[in-house]
């Protein structure tokens, strides 16, 4: 049954930013996938040979609201899948030139990142490790306010897709410590 409950936010949770363009691929495959694994599933990742976290790794971050964190840059203002209990590698912060030079050359248990708070998981994260969907934060102007129609439209598209996909995890407001069941999310978002 729907509703809103208080929750204590787990400091060990990891966040993987998502939007309406990718949530269906994640739910239908049953995994958050690295670029290399996306190819194996017949999905078309963005063009290019490599990305900052390499073709075999998925980027995540812990909740860190410091300026310049990967959380504030990627996850804070967006929906994000909240992941718990995965074998993630804490990256070592390096200059972007070093990260790029070594992204594909590092041993499997060592990872570099431009960000001080990035974690990476190799290949795939099964959806049974997803405990919820973080809603976009209202902090620092990231919240999709009414005069930003494209952000509000994205929010509606995302919620619609999650409902149609029958992805049965709650939404979580990590700023307020609230769990919002799917049948209450639209009302909760309007009233915030």
């Amino acid at each position: 049954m729907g509703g809103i409950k208080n929750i204590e936010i787990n400091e060990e949770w990891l966040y993987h930013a998502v939007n309406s363009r990718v949530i269906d691929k994640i739910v239908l495959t049953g995994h958050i996938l690295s670029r290399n694994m996306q190819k194996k599933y017949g999905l078309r990742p963005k063009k290019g040979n490599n990305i900052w976290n390499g073709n075999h790794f998925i980027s995540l971050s812990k909740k860190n609201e410091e300026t310049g964190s990967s959380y504030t840059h990627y996850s804070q203002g967006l929906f994000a899948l909240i992941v718990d209990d995965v074998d993630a590698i804490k990256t070592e912060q390096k200059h972007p030139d070093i990260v790029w030079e070594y992204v594909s050359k590092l041993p499997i248990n060592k990872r570099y990142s431009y960000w001080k708070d990035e974690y990476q998981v190799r290949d795939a994260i099964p959806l049974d490790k997803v405990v919820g969907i973080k809603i976009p934060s209202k902090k620092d102007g990231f919240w999709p306010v009414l005069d930003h129609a494209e952000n509000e439209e994205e929010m509606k598209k995302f919620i619609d897709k999650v409902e149609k996909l029958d992805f049965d995890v709650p939404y979580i407001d990590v700023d307020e410590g609230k769990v919002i069941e799917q049948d209450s999310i639209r009302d909760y978002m309007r009233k915030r």
Side-chain angles (χ1 to χ4, degrees), residues 42-119:
L43 305 174
R44 293 185 323 172
K46 293 177 185 174
K47 293 180 180 178
N49 294 331
N50 212 337
I51 53 177
W52 284 99
N53 53 306
N55 288 324
H56 296 279
F57 288 86
I58 301 157
S59 292
L60 304 123
S61 58
K62 282 193 178 176
K63 188 171 189 259
N64 176 351
E65 295 177 357
E66 294 176 27
T67 303
S69 72
S70 67
Y71 178 83
T72 58
H73 189 80
Y74 292 108
S75 297
Q76 186 170 6
L78 299 171
F79 288 103
L81 298 180
I82 303 171
V83 178
D84 194 25
D85 194 30
V86 292
D87 188 20
I89 301 166
K90 171 76 172 95
T91 62
E92 208 177 301
Q93 186 177 21
K94 298 286 185 186
H95 186 276
D97 292 342
I98 301 293
V99 174
W100 191 249
E101 181 179 347
Y102 289 97
V103 70
S104 297
K105 301 173 186 174
L106 292 170
I108 199 167
N109 62 345
K110 186 173 184 77
R111 305 299 302 153
Y112 292 160
S113 175
Y114 171 75
W115 307 102
K116 59 185 169 190
D117 61 333
E118 183 177 353
Y119 291 76

